[in-house]
Amino acid sequence: MEDNYNQNVFVNCPYDNEYKPFQQAIIFAVVACGFKPQLVSYNTNGGVPRIEKIKEMIDGAKLGIHDISRCKSTMVNEWYRLNMPFELGLDLGSKHFSERHKYKNVLVLQAEPFSHQPSLSDYAGFDPQCYEGECVSLLTIVRRFLYSEVAEENRDCFIQRGKLESLYWDFQKELYADFGGVKEEIDKLSDLEYCDKIKHYMSCH
Amino acid sequence: MREIGKEVRRFGEQPKGKSSTASLHVVPTQGKWEVRSSSATRARKVCDTVYCAISYARGIQSAKGSAVVVHERNGRVDYIIGKDGRQL
């Protein structure tokens, strides 16, 4: 894992069906930009506590993408989710308390502007990126974040925004056709399977 | 069971011996709808409504024979309009 430290991107986002398309868009953008997504769900070892898996991922990745959209409940009696801010805190903590991680870079996402402020007031002053619940914006934000991590001499070869979007639309079409248009079947893909499909798709294009 | 002699195409690969026809994607962007060709990096047209975008895409479709792919805001495919105008 140490070898890929600079390319590894820890992805911390909600795990629910409504969010799944956005999670998959993040994974697609990370792979298409030449980086390696790291999700806790990749590690299915039931003998390791979840927090240990998270720590391992954070320790092995220079970059982190955190979506804190679920800080706000949307229905009566719905609990807002604290896992994402918790993991963001761990990632930021590692940067501040460890010499090895002092150059860590994180991208914080939210679906609605300023939605985190009432529940995460200590995070004030930072600059979460808002994608307005739209996939196109999400692809653009993730690409922009990763672009800044590429050495200046290699930026000419970095995937263009329009190309990334076109590839993504075509990939979604392939996926739709592959599963006979049954969206529920696409949701059942594990994160690792999905990532492998992206890698294969990118190798063909 | 696979049919003998039938081409097996892996995910993402182009069919062998066939030139690919670029699809037309109808994509929601910042409250509007873009029509994009999969081979292009820019929108062909930006419309205020999805109906306008689909209508424009269908116009190109009839000339080029490409599929029209309508996307949801989350990026997923909502439905595909085939060359014969039927929803797939």
Side-chain angles (χ1 to χ4, degrees):
Chain A
M1 191 172 275
E2 186 66 35
D3 293 340
N4 294 323
Y5 179 73
N6 290 329
Q7 274 74 47
N8 283 343
V9 182
F10 171 55
V11 180
N12 166 31
C13 59
Y15 284 88
D16 59 56
N17 276 349
E18 192 189 337
Y19 188 82
K20 193 103 181 171
F22 297 109
Q23 182 208 52
Q24 294 181 339
I26 293 172
I27 298 173
F28 187 91
V30 170
V31 174
C33 290
F35 288 80
K36 296 177 189 303
Q38 301 292 313
L39 282 88
V40 175
S41 56
Y42 286 180
N43 187 342
T44 54
N45 185 351
V48 179
R50 192 177 168 84
I51 188 69
E52 293 302 323
K53 296 175 189 174
I54 292 167
K55 278 161 57 183
E56 188 186 336
M57 294 266 164
I58 288 174
D59 197 39
K62 185 189 173 201
L63 306 171
I65 297 177
H66 304 263
D67 192 324
I68 53 172
S69 301
R70 296 288 196 271
C71 283
K72 184 182 171 186
S73 55
T74 54
M75 291 182 292
V76 175
N77 292 332
E78 182 189 35
W79 294 96
Y80 59 86
R81 309 267 291 280
L82 291 170
N83 282 336
M84 281 67 70
F86 174 68
E87 290 166 31
L88 168 62
L90 285 176
D91 209 5
L92 289 176
S94 73
K95 177 184 167 76
H96 290 289
F97 299 118
S98 161
E99 187 66 19
R100 194 169 89 89
H101 295 306
K102 69 178 182 180
Y103 295 112
K104 251 185 189 279
N105 199 355
V106 298
L107 169 68
V108 182
L109 299 164
Q110 58 183 3
E112 294 172 39
F114 313 115
S115 58
H116 70 287
Q117 286 184 347
S119 54
L120 259 182
S121 56
D122 284 356
Y123 189 66
F126 287 83
D127 194 16
Q129 300 287 302
C130 180
Y131 59 94
E132 308 272 4
E134 207 165 68
C135 181
V136 185
S137 305
L138 189 55
L139 292 172
T140 303
I141 291 168
V142 173
R143 179 194 168 275
R144 194 192 304 141
F145 169 67
L146 297 173
Y147 181 83
S148 68
E149 284 300 316
V150 174
E152 202 172 338
E153 61 270 22
N154 296 330
R155 286 181 186 160
D156 281 350
C157 326
F158 200 76
I159 188 167
Q160 289 183 350
R161 185 178 63 82
K163 175 75 176 168
L164 172 66
E165 290 174 8
S166 293
L167 282 172
Y168 188 66
W169 304 133
D170 263 0
F171 173 76
Q172 285 298 328
K173 184 192 152 207
E174 285 279 337
L175 208 56
Y176 184 87
D178 204 38
F179 285 92
V182 183
K183 293 171 194 174
E184 292 76 17
E185 290 300 314
I186 299 172
D187 286 337
K188 285 178 192 166
L189 272 177
S190 75
D191 296 334
L192 196 56
E193 281 176 298
Y194 185 79
C195 192
D196 287 340
K197 278 197 177 288
I198 297 169
K199 285 177 187 167
H200 183 73
Y201 178 80
M202 293 305 294
S203 70
C204 301
H205 291 80
Chain B
M1 194 193 294
R2 283 177 185 152
E3 289 176 42
I4 295 168
K6 192 175 180 183
E7 183 191 339
V8 177
R9 187 173 76 93
R10 292 184 68 196
F11 180 81
E13 289 175 349
Q14 298 290 348
K16 283 175 188 164
K18 291 179 186 173
S19 61
S20 63
T21 309
S23 303
L24 289 159
H25 295 274
V26 175
V27 182
T29 311
Q30 295 176 334
K32 295 185 183 290
W33 293 83
E34 286 184 359
V35 179
R36 301 174 67 134
S37 169
S38 57
S39 58
T41 55
R42 287 185 186 173
R44 277 169 167 263
K45 189 174 175 71
V46 181
C47 298
D48 287 333
T49 66
V50 66
Y51 305 107
C52 161
I54 291 172
S55 172
Y56 177 80
R58 292 287 311 278
I60 302 170
Q61 180 187 38
S62 57
K64 292 195 171 179
S66 45
V68 175
V69 186
V70 183
H71 292 263
E72 299 173 22
R73 281 188 88 213
N74 63 18
R76 286 273 170 85
V77 173
D78 195 3
Y79 56 92
I80 298 175
I81 302 169
K83 294 167 195 170
D84 55 1
R86 285 196 306 170
Q87 196 170 308
L88 306 175

